Amino acid sequence: MILKSQVEWALHCCAILAGLPDGRYLSTKALAEFHGLPKEYLSKALQSLSQARLVDSTLGPSGGYRLSRPPAEITFLDVVEAVEGKERSFVCNNIRANNPCRPEGYCDAGPCAIARIMWDADEAWRASLRAVTLAMLVQSLEKDVPPALWRESFEWVMKRVG
Amino acid sequence: MILKSQVEWALHCCAILAGLPDGRYLSTKALAEFHGLPKEYLSKALQSLSQARLVDSTLGPSGGYRLSRPPAEITFLDVVEAVEGKERSFVCNNIRANNPCRPEGYCDAGPCAIARIMWDADEAWRASLRAVTLAMLVQSLEKDVPPALWRESFEWVMKRVG
DNA sequence: GCTTACATACTCGGATAGTGGATGTCCGAGTAGCAAAGG
DNA sequence: CCTTTGCTACTCGGACATCCACTATCCGAGTATGTAAGC
């Protein structure tokens, strides 16, 4: 049960996109260079974000991606679900139905108790991710990163926005 | 990010083992038959439980597994971690270190903000699983399952315990 | 000098191979129980 | 009838194939930019 590395990449890219001036685009190439990642493969993560309508894309020179909503309106859960999918982490195959003591054609009332508990935990995880927005992430980062590095990184990005 | 089916199997098996009289063993074969699962493969899940010291095993006829502790002292998290491992679901590869603006030999103070948030969510998930014990699971099941089926299943199992 | 048409280069998007872990199966080591033999 | 011995059958545990999903890469469709020609 390990999240794919795409999730990490997507979150870091969203952090950068969240800092862009309104309406400006940043290309996969720039994002890949900034994070030291393979451009071709990173593009798949960004495609997932695009298909989930979290980012807009534009073609041609000075094209790329931008957030489709304000950073305060995009949660970690949005990003994680865009890459990992919205399926619950626990799938119930209802193996209790194989109980040899069951009468023929017996039908269960509700979901199995084990599934309920596992789904509750899954929901706790999602709730935790839903509580954090990209805007909050940027605030955290600004506190962590030294001002000089922060400024230089911003300028590095600004030289490459479309 | 989907849990392996072994987790589901292990939990169902623990539910059965939790209902056994003290000190009695139940074999993989019986557990597999009861749940309609491949005996050979199910044994791998039970091996994981054994290696995690959640169950004891005995060889020979009338051998099998039993819980090594009272059901009230085994949590869902114990079982899930026994099968899935204790590693966090999000691994931080520290890709921020690839930032081209970084001075040479720069060293980060703490873990990256993104990892902190993801790990918080992971901890919320674990906390939710840690709050439920096998004893509580048995209580839930007893409420869900019709008394007749409950009794028959118990007798079915009792005919096979060692 | 301004407008227009065009070639270019750069972008995203989906289709295509390679690899590691989960899935599924097998056989060997070890032991508890049973049966038979002996006292 | 009771004890001892040996065998048998059943158990768990780890070693061995198979398959799917994540990883990684490539090429084609489409467009904004910059240039050059024409007015």
Side-chain angles (χ1 to χ4, degrees), chain A residues 26-138:
Chain A
L26 190 61
S27 70
T28 303
K29 188 180 171 211
L31 289 167
E33 277 182 22
F34 187 82
H35 295 112
L37 300 173
K39 172 172 77 77
E40 311 288 357
Y41 190 24
L42 174 62
S43 77
K44 285 207 68 179
L46 297 170
Q47 277 178 48
S48 298
L49 296 179
S50 178
Q51 288 171 348
R53 306 280 181 186
L54 296 181
V55 300
D56 295 330
S57 63
T58 302
L59 266 54
S62 74
Y65 295 96
R66 72 177 178 196
L67 296 185
S68 60
R69 284 178 272 158
E73 295 175 18
I74 299 180
T75 69
F76 264 57
L77 183 61
D78 292 326
V79 178
V80 171
E81 283 188 341
V83 175
E84 283 285 336
K86 293 177 186 287
E87 305 84 24
R88 283 187 276 214
S89 60
F90 181 84
V91 295
C92 176
N93 294 107
N94 210 37
I95 61 176
R96 62 179 171 171
N98 299 326
N99 184 333
C101 303
R102 290 208 157 190
E104 201 64 37
Y106 178 88
C107 194
D108 292 302
C112 140
I114 290 178
R116 285 204 308 270
I117 293 165
M118 294 301 293
W119 290 342
D120 281 351
D122 188 86
E123 180 51 35
W125 179 69
R126 290 186 143 77
S128 180
L129 292 178
R130 201 181 291 118
V132 185
T133 67
L134 292 183
M136 296 161 71
L137 170 62
V138 173

Side-chain angles (χ1 to χ4, degrees), chain A residues 1-3 8 12 34-35 84 89 93-95 98-101 106 116 121 125 128-129 144 146 153 156, chain B residues 1-3 8 12 34-35 84 89 93-95 98-101 106 116 121 125 128-129 144 146 153 156:
Chain A
M1 220 269 304
I2 289 190
L3 294 165
E8 184 183 13
H12 277 276
F34 187 82
H35 295 112
E84 283 285 336
S89 60
N93 294 107
N94 210 37
I95 61 176
N98 299 326
N99 184 333
C101 303
Y106 178 88
R116 285 204 308 270
W125 179 69
S128 180
L129 292 178
D144 288 356
S153 299
W156 189 97
Chain B
M1 220 269 304
I2 287 191
L3 294 165
E8 184 183 12
H12 277 276
F34 187 82
H35 295 113
E84 282 285 336
S89 59
N93 293 108
N94 210 36
I95 61 176
N98 299 325
N99 184 332
C101 303
Y106 178 87
R116 285 203 309 270
W125 179 70
S128 180
L129 293 178
D144 289 355
S153 300
W156 189 97

Side-chain angles (χ1 to χ4, degrees), chain B residues 65-94:
Chain B
Y65 296 95
R66 72 176 177 197
L67 296 185
S68 60
R69 281 179 273 159
E73 294 175 18
I74 299 181
T75 69
F76 265 57
L77 183 61
D78 291 327
V79 178
V80 172
E81 283 187 341
V83 176
E84 282 285 336
K86 294 177 184 289
E87 304 83 24
R88 284 187 275 216
S89 59
F90 180 85
V91 295
C92 176
N93 293 108
N94 210 36

